[in-house]
Amino acid sequence: MSVNPFKPTAGKMPPILIGRQSVIDDFSEALTNGVGAPGRIMLITGQRGFGKTVMLTEFRRIAKSQHWETIGETASEGLVSRLVQALSPSGMRIDQATISPSIGIPGVATASLGQAHLSAAVNPLTLRNAINARLGSRKIGKGKGILITIDETQAASHEDVVAIATAVQHVIADADESDVADIDKKGVAIVFAGLPYMVNELLDNEVTTFLRRALRRELDNVPIVDVKNAFLETIADSGKTIGEEEALQAARQSDGYPYMVQLIGYYMWQSAERRGSDSITSQDVETGLRDALLAFDDAVCAPALDGATGAERLFLTAMAQDSPGPTRVADIAQRARRSRSWVGKYRAILIKDRLIRPAGHGTVEFAVPHLGEYLASR
């Protein structure tokens, strides 16, 4: 029995990381180039379904292959405490901790790490000490280090982001001040991934200004020709066939949106499999697209609108009448019964949040495939 090669599950490694090689190279080269290389502090942004989680998984795989230790976390309450726990071997005591959120204990804590709850006041120093202690371990070789990846960074608390940024900044400075030769210095790499508005909030914070030196990479749509070639290669490797025209048809329908690429690939392959055929036809592509759109609505379109305000939804609903084509800004003002200045304000907000994009003079279009049709259907 053949196995479907497409993996549209969130965070599951797809067969081919199409269109992402330059970002992967930036990270891999940073590990090789030593302490201070720009790619060792990275901010990766993109809308849901653009492959941020997959990219972090690939980074950890690369780091492990270069004999680095890795820690993968998703932002939520207690993020810094979990990082300290992951960094500290069983039985190790931490330098500063609290046994309750309000009582600080200077010096060596008497509670074991698993029982400690860190307060905002001691978080940066505790995390810094935990990273340095781990780097001092013999388990980490010369010139190697620790990679920390933080997914869904937009969900992190302000205190946790500040603590992580402060700790990493000091660890880098500690390495710079050591007498160890650059080639032998152990280091830390950290990659934050999250939705586009995350970057603006991170960089606007006075305490995290050092993150402005981070390498910023925004995951965008993959070129259609690359998607077509990926379909041809992946399907051939799986034991089925697809024609050039059919592969191009599927690629165009995906709009280069990575998650949609995986969905269409999965369902058109499955359509042929149900027919007992080794050849994916144009009809299979159409069947795959219909099934993919249903899954895409639930996984991408609905969550994309979760954080939208009433005014932003009004703007987007006015655009939906023209989807999938572009909308004139003047028509949005008329349909929403709002002023041009109101339209200008929310146009800027929605472009910054990567929900819409300019489509020519005086026009805008949806940046998330099928979002307009999804809104219109409701």
Side-chain angles (χ1 to χ4, degrees):
M1 178 181 175
S2 299
V3 176
N4 195 317
F6 296 95
K7 311 297 179 186
T9 303
K12 184 72 174 176
M13 188 66 70
I16 302 174
L17 283 161
I18 51 173
R20 304 295 186 236
Q21 193 58 49
S22 64
V23 182
I24 292 170
D25 289 344
D26 285 337
F27 175 77
S28 182
E29 290 163 3
L31 297 189
T32 303
N33 290 335
V35 174
R40 289 196 177 192
I41 305 173
M42 190 179 287
L43 302 176
I44 293 189
T45 61
Q47 279 294 350
R48 298 187 188 280
F50 265 68
K52 299 182 296 296
T53 302
V54 167
M55 190 61 64
L56 296 185
T57 302
E58 176 67 2
F59 284 176
R60 291 194 299 273
R61 186 197 66 77
I62 291 170
K64 287 176 183 176
S65 74
Q66 297 191 28
H67 307 293
W68 280 54
E69 291 196 0
T70 66
I71 298 172
E73 265 294 346
T74 299
S76 61
E77 185 179 355
L79 172 60
V80 171
S81 295
R82 293 196 304 276
L83 287 175
V84 173
Q85 285 181 286
L87 286 160
S88 305
S90 177
M92 178 182 286
R93 297 293 190 263
I94 50 181
D95 291 340
Q96 290 194 5
T98 61
I99 55 175
S100 72
S102 60
I103 304 173
I105 304 176
V108 178
T110 56
S112 68
L113 189 60
Q115 298 170 318
H117 301 282
L118 308 182
S119 70
V122 303
N123 265 343
L125 179 59
T126 306
L127 181 57
R128 172 188 178 182
N129 290 342
I131 295 173
N132 278 329
R134 193 66 179 161
L135 288 173
S137 165
R138 292 181 181 179
K139 292 184 178 180
I140 298 179
K142 292 180 179 180
K144 307 302 179 181
I146 303 165
L147 166 65
I148 300 171
T149 64
I150 310 293
D151 205 359
E152 301 289 353
T153 305
Q154 72 279 349
S157 70
H158 169 81
E159 291 79 10
D160 278 347
V161 173
V162 170
I164 293 168
T166 304
V168 171
Q169 185 175 15
H170 282 293
V171 168
I172 293 171
D174 293 341
D176 288 340
E177 293 169 5
S178 69
D179 294 329
V180 178
D182 283 350
I183 195 171
D184 293 332
K185 285 180 179 176
K186 299 179 183 181
V188 61
I190 186 161
V191 183
F192 298 93
L195 299 176
Y197 67 81
M198 169 198 79
V199 171
N200 299 297
E201 293 184 356
L202 279 177
L203 300 187
D204 285 345
N205 189 297
E206 291 182 4
V207 185
T208 57
T209 51
F210 99 102
L211 287 176
R212 291 175 186 168
R213 302 196 302 271
L215 197 61
R216 295 171 59 177
R217 289 292 180 262
E218 181 176 349
L219 303 184
D220 208 343
N221 298 62
V222 179
I224 298 302
V225 66
D226 290 345
V227 177
K228 183 201 77 170
N229 291 335
F231 279 145
L232 289 169
E233 181 179 340
T234 304
I235 289 167
D237 288 346
S238 76
K240 292 192 187 300
T241 61
I242 186 172
E244 289 268 347
E245 283 301 316
E246 288 76 17
L248 182 58
Q249 175 191 359
R252 285 174 173 159
Q253 295 287 5
S254 76
D255 197 30
Y257 200 103
Y259 183 56
M260 184 63 90
V261 171
Q262 295 297 320
L263 284 172
I264 292 176
Y266 179 87
Y267 286 111
M268 71 182 183
W269 193 98
Q270 208 61 33
S271 175
E273 182 72 5
R274 286 170 184 159
R275 293 189 298 104
S277 174
D278 288 335
S279 176
I280 294 176
T281 65
S282 179
Q283 185 58 50
D284 291 321
V285 174
E286 301 225 356
T287 300
L289 175 63
R290 285 197 301 271
D291 291 342
L293 287 175
L294 292 174
F296 191 85
D297 285 350
D298 292 338
V300 175
C301 292
L305 295 170
D306 281 348
T309 65
E312 290 163 2
R313 281 178 174 267
L314 178 61
F315 188 108
L316 295 171
T317 302
M319 285 181 59
Q321 296 182 36
D322 301 313
S323 188
T327 301
R328 295 193 313 145
V329 171
D331 289 341
I332 296 172
Q334 182 179 18
R335 293 168 185 171
R337 298 182 181 179
R338 296 292 188 273
S339 66
R340 291 298 292 266
S341 61
W342 181 93
V343 171
K345 173 185 175 181
Y346 286 101
R347 174 185 179 276
I349 290 172
L350 291 166
I351 288 176
K352 185 178 76 171
D353 288 348
R354 305 299 192 273
L355 288 176
I356 67 173
R357 60 193 173 203
H361 181 67
T363 62
V364 290
E365 64 184 5
F366 286 97
V368 178
H370 198 60
L371 183 58
E373 294 91 324
Y374 174 80
L375 276 166
S377 70
R378 280 152 178 76

